[in-house]
Amino acid sequence: GYLGTLLAKRIAQEQEVESITGIDVKEPSFTHPKFTFIRHDVRQSFDSIFTENKIDTALHLAFIVVPIHDEKKSHEINIQGSKNFLEASAKAKVEQVYYMGSHTEYGAFPHNPALFTEDMPLNPNPDYPYPGDKAQVDLMFQEFGKQNPDICITIGRTVAVTGPCGDACGLKELFLPVMVRAAGKNPLWQFIHEDDLAEIIVRLLQQRKAGIYNFSAEGGLTYNEMIKKMGKPSISLPSWLLYQGVKISWKLQLQTKSQPGGLHMLEYPINISSQKIKEATGYKLRYTGEEAFGVFLKNRRT
C-alpha cells in the first residue's frame, strides 16, 4: 500500500538494514536490492514468512482505510490480519513490532478536549467502523505487549497523512464537485507530511522506542479554510439531514465516499498533542500542517 511503500523506500536507505520483506496481495511498484516481495493475504497465517526471513522488526500497516461496502471483508482484513501479524511476531520472536494507529480512535464528540494525549481513553464513534477497528487493534497490541514483555511494542496514532501522494491519500474522499458543510460547525483538522511521518517512524525503530505516540505537525486548517484552499463551492446543511442522506445513500450503495459515522469529523475536532514524540525522538518536523496540506493540493492539481 501507500504507507508501506513509503516506509520501505525510506528504510532501504539505512545502511544497517540488511533486508526488507513486504507482504501484500498486490505487487508494489517499488524495487530495491534489499527488498523482497511475497504475495500473501494477511487473513491467512504467515508465521513461516517471518521465521524463514529472520524478521527482527515487524511493521503492521495492512488496513482498509477507504470504506468498502463489504464490511465483513474489511473487518476480516483489519482484525484477523492483525491477529495473524501478532501470532507471527510471537513465533518468530521479533525484537520490535510497530502498529500504525489513527487519531480517529479518540472519537469525534462535542466535548472533546482541545488536545488528546496518549494516556487518554480511546472512544471511537460507534457508527464508524474504521476507527472502531483501529482502536480494537490498538488495544490488541497493548495487550500483546503485556503478554510479551521482551518485545518492544510501538504504536503511532497519526492524523491525516499528506504530501505528493495524489489519490493515494485518504483525503481524496473529500473532493466533491460541491463541498458539504455541517451547519454551524467548523472543526480544526491536523495533518502530517509523509516525509516527516516516515522519518519519525524510522527513528522510533532505530532507537527501539516502546510506547504510544501521537503524530501531528504544528497547526492545521479549519474545514472552511480547507474548502477555500481547494477552490470549491460549498453548501451548508443541518447535521441531521446530512447524516440521514449519507446513511441512506451508503446503504443503497449509491456512493462510496463515506459511511455516515465519518461525518462526525465535519462536526467535532479530534486534535492531538505531539509533545511526547518530539521529546522521544528530538526530530523537528520539516512541514507545518498547513504546508503539508498545501503540498498535497499542489500535486493533486498538477
Side-chain angles (χ1 to χ4, degrees):
Y2 155 58
L3 289 177
T5 302
L6 174 73
L7 282 165
K9 290 178 178 178
R10 175 61 187 85
I11 292 171
Q13 298 172 15
E14 297 302 312
Q15 187 174 356
E16 68 267 30
V17 173
E18 296 177 358
S19 64
I20 304 168
T21 302
I23 302 171
D24 204 337
V25 293
K26 184 174 67 174
E27 188 167 353
S29 58
F30 172 67
T31 59
H32 192 277
K34 294 181 180 180
F35 180 72
T36 300
F37 172 72
I38 297 176
R39 191 184 301 276
H40 188 85
D41 191 323
V42 295
R43 291 175 291 179
Q44 306 300 320
S45 171
F46 45 90
D47 297 355
S48 60
I49 296 176
F50 276 28
T51 54
E52 291 171 6
N53 289 278
K54 300 179 180 179
I55 301 300
D56 62 15
T57 304
L59 289 77
H60 183 42
L61 306 169
F63 225 87
I64 300 297
V65 177
V66 178
I68 59 176
H69 283 98
D70 190 345
E71 294 185 13
K72 180 181 178 182
K73 177 181 179 181
S74 178
H75 194 70
E76 287 176 352
I77 291 172
N78 295 344
I79 305 304
Q80 187 58 48
S82 300
K83 290 179 180 179
N84 290 339
F85 173 90
L86 290 174
E87 289 177 2
S89 297
K91 290 181 180 179
K93 298 180 179 179
V94 301
E95 296 174 18
Q96 182 174 19
V97 298
Y98 173 83
Y99 170 60
M100 180 64 80
S102 167
H103 74 304
T104 59
E105 297 173 43
Y106 293 113
F109 294 97
H111 303 296
N112 277 356
L115 292 174
F116 282 98
T117 55
E118 292 85 350
D119 56 345
M120 291 181 176
L122 303 179
N123 187 29
N125 295 87
D127 53 357
Y128 194 11
Y130 168 72
D133 283 356
K134 276 288 184 185
Q136 183 177 339
V137 175
D138 194 311
L139 296 174
M140 284 169 52
F141 271 70
Q142 293 183 48
E143 182 61 30
F144 180 80
K146 295 175 184 177
Q147 297 175 2
N148 298 271
D150 294 335
I151 299 178
C152 177
I153 310 297
T154 308
I155 298 172
R157 296 173 184 159
T158 185
V159 295
V161 183
T162 67
C165 52
D167 285 348
C169 289
L171 283 174
K172 71 174 185 176
E173 303 306 310
L174 283 175
F175 283 79
L176 299 170
V178 178
M179 302 292 290
V180 180
R181 293 176 286 114
K185 308 293 184 181
N186 187 26
L188 180 72
W189 282 43
Q190 294 173 305
F191 307 95
I192 188 169
H193 191 281
E194 59 183 42
D195 291 346
D196 284 327
L197 177 72
E199 190 62 35
I200 288 173
I201 294 174
V202 167
R203 292 194 179 207
L204 288 172
L205 299 178
Q206 288 175 324
Q207 299 169 20
R208 287 287 190 251
K209 292 282 188 180
I212 303 170
Y213 302 92
N214 288 336
F215 300 162
S216 175
E218 293 292 334
L221 292 167
T222 66
Y223 189 63
N224 288 347
E225 289 173 335
M226 290 165 57
I227 293 174
K228 185 176 180 180
K229 285 183 177 292
M230 290 177 189
K232 297 278 188 177
S234 66
I235 58 172
S236 176
L237 296 173
S239 296
W240 68 267
L241 180 60
L242 190 56
Y243 185 91
Q244 290 301 321
V246 172
K247 181 179 180 179
I248 293 171
S249 61
W250 176 264
K251 185 175 182 180
L252 297 177
Q253 299 191 20
L254 299 177
Q255 55 92 8
T256 59
K257 288 281 187 179
S258 176
Q259 295 161 309
L263 295 176
H264 298 306
M265 294 185 66
L266 303 187
E267 298 180 278
Y268 312 114
I270 311 174
N271 297 147
I272 59 177
S273 169
S274 56
Q275 186 62 35
K276 184 178 178 181
I277 191 64
K278 293 175 187 175
E279 295 174 353
T281 64
Y283 176 66
K284 182 176 175 58
L285 274 67
R286 294 171 53 194
Y287 299 86
T288 66
E290 184 175 358
E291 289 169 344
F293 186 76
V295 173
F296 167 70
L297 271 187
K298 179 181 178 182
N299 282 268
R300 183 175 176 85
R301 286 168 180 163
T302 56

